[in-house]
């Protein structure tokens, strides 16, 4: 980026005088040192951690990554989790360990209605991908969306009906004061029997104790979880020890270096030309 001076922040050194910072979970100290910042590029899609920081002055523009190769990774993750349960792959692994030729009856995509909570760039890609594989897919969002092959449910009032037709629930909502704890006993108990939960949003979307109990009671059949209240997931957490729960370490969609650099460099160039950029967070909305 000729014309730009780029440096790595040094908390020990003098302020760099930067206008723009690229951050992921920055320390509060950054904002005391770098008082000239006007724009923060978050090196991830979710900006919940930044919005919890009172040290970031209100005039600073916060920009999230927009897809940047993350949406397709989320779609892969959700598809993997869905095929694993809907095609009984775990059972075939178990059968192989017993050298057993298990000719169990297959299920049909129609037996696995999918619900995607959140239809932003990521949710849209997830919903379209699973619909392409022939699964009945619905999406839930704040306002109605017109997506071919995906049934749209919108707003708080439509949530119970959305859940009641869903067996495989994928959460890709942003974490906001409205969505904290949205996956709880009351909502999860509305799902179809034999339900499976995929959480690739944030740990705080899920009331973890509710899920632990519902798995125990057989109210929920299984879960594939990438995000947790405490990360790394503590060693004694029940999720590690439950065969119905598949744990991954917040890797569902990694920030891709080249795609992110290209996106942010393009937006910095737009800002320098005085143009509007997309992906600017509306703080009052929380994403
Ligand atoms: C990762 O969690 C992200 O928000 O991109």
């Amino acid at each position: 980026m000729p014309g730009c001076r780029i440096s790595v922040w040094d908390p020990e050194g003098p302020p760099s005088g930067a206008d723009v910072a690229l951050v992921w979970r920055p320390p509060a100290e950054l904002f005391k040192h770098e008082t000239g910042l006007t724009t923060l590029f978050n090196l991830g899609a979710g900006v919940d951690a930044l919005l919890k920081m009172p040290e970031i002055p209100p005039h600073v523009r916060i920009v999230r990554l927009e897809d940047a190769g993350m949406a397709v990774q989320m779609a892969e993750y959700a598809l993997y989790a869905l095929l694993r349960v809907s095609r009984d792959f775990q059972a075939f692994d178990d059968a192989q360990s017993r050298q057993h030729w298990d000719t169990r009856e297959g299920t049909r995509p129609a037996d696995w209605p999918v619900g995607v909570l959140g239809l932003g760039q990521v949710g849209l890609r997830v919903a379209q991908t699973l619909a392409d594989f022939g699964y009945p897919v619905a999406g839930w969002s704040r306002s109605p969306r017109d997506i071919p092959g995906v049934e749209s449910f919108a707003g708080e009032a439509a949530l119970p009906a959305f859940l009641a037709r869903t067996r495989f629930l994928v959460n890709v909502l942003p974490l906001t004061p409205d969505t904290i704890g949205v996956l709880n006993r009351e909502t999860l108990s509305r799902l179809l029997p034999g339900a499976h939960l995929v959480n690739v949003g944030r740990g705080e979307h899920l009331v973890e104790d509710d899920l632990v109990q519902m798995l125990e009671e057989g109210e929920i059949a299984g879960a594939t979880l990438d995000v947790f209240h405490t990360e790394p997931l503590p060693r004694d957490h029940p999720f590690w020890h439950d065969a119905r729960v598949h744990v991954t370490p917040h890797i569902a969609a990694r920030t891709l270096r080249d795609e992110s650099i290209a996106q942010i460099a393009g937006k910095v160039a737009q800002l320098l030309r005085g143009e509007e950029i997309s992906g600017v967070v509306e703080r009052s909305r929380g994403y």
Side-chain angles (χ1 to χ4, degrees):
M1 300 189 71
C4 291
R5 193 162 54 80
I6 298 175
S7 56
V8 175
W9 182 55
D10 174 7
E12 312 296 331
S16 72
D19 304 303
V20 171
L22 277 57
V23 298
W24 179 250
R25 299 188 177 278
E29 236 186 304
L30 174 72
F31 304 98
K32 295 196 197 105
H33 279 219
E34 301 296 336
T35 50
L37 290 173
T38 59
T39 306
L40 284 184
F41 285 97
N42 187 47
L43 293 171
V47 292
D48 44 290
L50 289 180
L51 297 187
K52 276 191 229 146
M53 296 186 72
E55 296 81 5
I56 304 178
H59 68 268
V60 171
R61 188 196 282 120
I62 299 177
V63 189
R64 62 174 179 275
L65 274 184
E66 297 183 283
D67 184 349
M70 278 189 272
V72 69
Q73 295 179 70
M74 289 292 204
E76 287 169 352
Y77 187 97
L79 180 61
Y80 170 73
L82 176 57
L83 295 179
R84 182 167 161 149
V85 293
S86 74
R87 297 291 312 274
D88 269 335
F89 285 120
Q90 185 71 50
F92 293 115
D93 286 349
D94 297 345
Q96 180 174 355
S97 70
R98 290 177 280 115
Q99 299 84 49
H100 174 55
W101 188 259
D102 181 354
T103 55
R104 63 179 52 229
E105 287 251 322
T107 56
R108 301 163 309 137
D111 298 328
W112 285 93
V114 172
V116 181
L117 271 175
L119 288 175
Q121 281 149 333
V122 170
L124 179 67
R125 183 76 182 244
V126 169
Q128 284 174 327
T129 301
L130 303 185
D132 278 350
F133 276 77
Y135 290 84
V137 178
W140 183 78
S141 46
R142 278 172 20 134
S143 37
R145 299 289 310 267
D146 189 10
I147 306 166
V150 176
E151 197 182 346
S152 169
F153 289 81
E156 194 74 35
L159 188 58
F162 164 81
L163 294 167
R165 48 76 58 212
T166 295
R167 181 170 177 196
F168 188 86
L169 180 66
V170 185
N171 173 48
V172 288
L173 286 167
L175 186 72
T176 71
D178 288 340
T179 66
I180 287 180
V182 65
L183 305 169
N184 57 50
R185 179 175 281 278
E186 196 270 315
T187 50
L188 296 177
S189 64
R190 294 181 186 273
L191 295 169
L192 288 171
H196 190 98
L197 169 69
V198 175
N199 189 16
V200 288
R202 285 286 183 263
E204 294 91 331
H205 283 127
L206 172 65
V207 180
E208 292 183 346
D209 288 345
D210 283 1
L211 180 61
V212 169
Q213 280 172 25
M214 292 178 84
L215 287 161
E216 226 23 74
E217 296 157 5
E219 283 268 317
I220 295 283
T224 304
L225 306 174
D226 188 52
V227 288
F228 305 90
H229 278 239
T230 306
E231 296 178 8
L233 185 63
R235 285 183 68 96
D236 58 353
H237 196 289
F239 289 155
W240 281 123
H241 307 285
D242 188 333
R244 295 161 293 205
V245 179
H246 305 294
V247 169
T248 52
H250 203 142
I251 49 72
R254 296 181 190 273
T255 294
L256 301 179
R257 196 182 170 93
D258 290 353
E259 283 80 348
S260 307
I261 291 172
Q263 184 173 111
I264 293 170
K267 289 185 183 183
V268 171
Q270 278 182 290
L271 289 175
L272 288 172
R273 291 195 298 269
E275 294 168 14
E276 294 283 318
I277 57 169
S278 60
V280 175
V281 171
E282 266 182 53
R283 292 207 198 186
S284 57
R285 197 175 67 162
Y287 62 97

